[in-house]
């Protein structure tokens, strides 16, 4: 159970209600999910997180499915249950089937291994990105 | 400096040399990077990691650039310097320019925030993946 | 459900009971919470953790509310549910309302982003602490 | 060395220069630190991170020193070197001496232990925050 | 609830069934645990993870109990509930009693503290491993 | 470079000097490593960490090599460079050769993968530890 009382859609302040309406319009859903209702206990913070998420989660040079895959990779690495559920549902809605999901997670799993190994052996970088080579 | 003596390409055992040759042929490079040279101190483990990486890092339902982006997202979340350098170089080689890299990292940064917030508020899942909805 | 049988307050060994009594007296509560009852399966370890926590969680140069806020920031970053529940309850008991809690978590969320970004860009330090400048 | 070419203060685009000027005015310094110069490779992302940081790192219900202490606690838990240097310098500038810094870090260290222990014993919450009790 | 439909032991494809049979034979149990049933949604990935786990979790220079203790230490540090339950059950089955488990976890907890402290103080290495000394 | 001025062995306060002497006597070395010299900026905290480490890092039901292996597994998972160097040197001094070290790290790497996978699939526990079965 959440550690704060979730803000109800009906009773929220005008400031919160404006964000809630924008969330529903942008996401084309008719309800506001729990994380937003928890964030609404601090309306300024709610606005900051939503504004930023809305700006970043637009298709740009990177398409939306790739962005949701990144979100899932980060969430699985951090072990955030709420986020894993949310982003798995999102990639499924965007068309990723279970076999492709398995392929994504194979990559996530693999590099959680190599991260631990590269750290453990204190290996120094040898493949330099452009700036470092420049 | 690495915590074990890196295995030299020239002096390695036949078993190690076979993996080294396969790495160079598969990656179309003429040298073996440091992580593999560290792993070669345990030849069986070297084989296990390389075999698995080779199988997973092939284009499948998910293309190679997306896989390297996932690898970068995982590595940035874990803070593995060697891996970040390696995967940033890889996505640049595959054509991602600095602005697009910034867009990828914006997503990585964003969801490291929402992971912390969803955990902190102990929010319960509301968007269920397919199986959970089943 | 915990992975070990929680030690009952009534049946514990004298060594464990002494710690339990000290916990209740120090925290001014009439029950011992679950983590201590799990730790009591190794009485020496119970003593070590409790002695250290008691010494550190006293107001010193840093007041108690700030210390509980630090505890919450660490726990949210690590995603430890038990700890998040415990330290959120503690900061609320010490007077932090939901809006202020939101402000604390905004900071926690923000720096989980910048941590990922600074790692991802492999940025070198430019603002040096005193010793490094010295 | 950073993975992208840091944007120079002099040569930046008007959009980037506006953010750089605001950073210097807000922080009352005469140079822009490296993380901002790396972020400037994607001007929109630079704006998003700066706008959010500026809004959150203002004294509110939580004072600025406490916010920098939280930032340090998060950064130490994540092991982000750049961030640790930056936030240690900030808390020192705001008056925290080495002994008080040691007290802060004692708390950070302590709860990294109890997080691991609470997770390891899979202990269920017993001290409920207000909403969960409500 | 898992985010994918778990593959049933009876209905699996021949490729999956072969892995399931090998899991049961190797572990000397009569059922396949949930993680394997989830991984089976991508049969190739199932094979890769199982083959690797089977090769690594054999007694070698390091005995099996030590390997399961390492697995538990990693899982407690990452806060992976499923894994903690699984590896705690494994070490108990291999003979570790609650007091010894407490001793293991004392070490896990201790070094989660010193990790945070060494990072926070940005201390430079002074005890060098052999290769670095070499 | 460390973020605080390291306390010199010669000039330390009696309280700090007593701990430094005990460290050297216990570890049978003639110098105090950097982490302890950083911690000495807060003498009480120095005592707390040292007392606890000394109590935990004694052979008990778990031998010293296993304890250092656990320390290395935790440090590699957290990516703490100082700690990885220190504990790798320790296991090497206790007799672990490079091949055995590779076997240890194979286990560390493997379970960083399965942790991410079990989290990602939100798999529910099926192998219960004793207390949970009880």
């Amino acid at each position: 159970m959440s550690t704060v009382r979730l803000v109800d859609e009906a009773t929220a302040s005008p400031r919160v209600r404006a964000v809630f309406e924008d969330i529903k319009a942008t996401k084309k859903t008719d309800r506001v999910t729990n994380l937003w209702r928890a964030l609404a206990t601090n309306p300024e913070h709610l606005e900051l997180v939503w504004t930023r998420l809305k700006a970043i989660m637009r298709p740009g040079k990177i398409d939306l499915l790739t962005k949701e895959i990144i979100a899932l990779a980060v969430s699985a690495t951090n072990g955030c249950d709420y986020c894993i559920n949310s982003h798995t549902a999102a990639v499924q809605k965007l068309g990723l089937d279970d076999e492709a999901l398995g392929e994504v997670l194979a990559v996530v799993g693999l590099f959680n291994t190599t991260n631990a190994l590269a750290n453990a052996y204190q290996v120094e970088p040898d493949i330099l990105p452009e700036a470092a080579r420049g």
Side-chain angles (χ1 to χ4, degrees), chain A:
Chain A
M1 193 179 290
S2 73
T3 60
V4 292
R5 233 173 282 273
L6 300 181
V7 173
D8 195 80
E9 287 190 45
T11 61
S13 72
R15 191 178 183 182
V16 168
R17 211 155 46 217
V19 177
F20 281 4
E21 289 309 313
D22 194 30
I23 289 173
K24 289 190 283 188
T26 305
K27 289 179 173 285
K28 297 185 178 55
T29 59
D30 56 2
R31 57 189 290 267
V32 173
T33 53
N34 291 339
L35 181 56
W36 302 112
R37 293 176 60 206
L39 289 170
T41 51
N42 184 316
E44 187 188 359
H45 192 212
L46 172 70
E47 282 178 354
L48 283 167
V49 178
W50 169 245
T51 307
R52 181 175 162 230
L53 187 140
K54 191 181 172 184
I56 293 175
M57 292 306 277
R58 262 193 307 245
K61 290 197 161 194
I62 311 294
D63 64 273
L64 195 52
L65 176 57
T66 303
K67 290 189 176 183
E68 285 290 349
I69 286 173
I70 297 170
L72 179 58
V74 168
S75 304
T77 301
N78 281 331
C80 174
D81 292 353
Y82 179 86
C83 314
I84 289 164
N85 275 289
S86 168
H87 298 298
T88 304
V91 295
Q92 288 174 337
K93 201 172 164 187
L94 289 165
L96 207 74
D97 66 22
D98 282 357
E99 196 177 340
L101 177 64
E103 199 174 322
V104 165
L105 297 181
V107 180
V108 172
L110 170 66
F111 291 105
N112 272 289
T113 288
T114 57
N115 281 202
L117 294 172
N119 280 333
Y121 279 123
Q122 295 280 290
V123 188
E124 295 185 33
D126 39 12
I127 305 179
L128 294 181
E130 278 177 23
R133 272 199 311 272

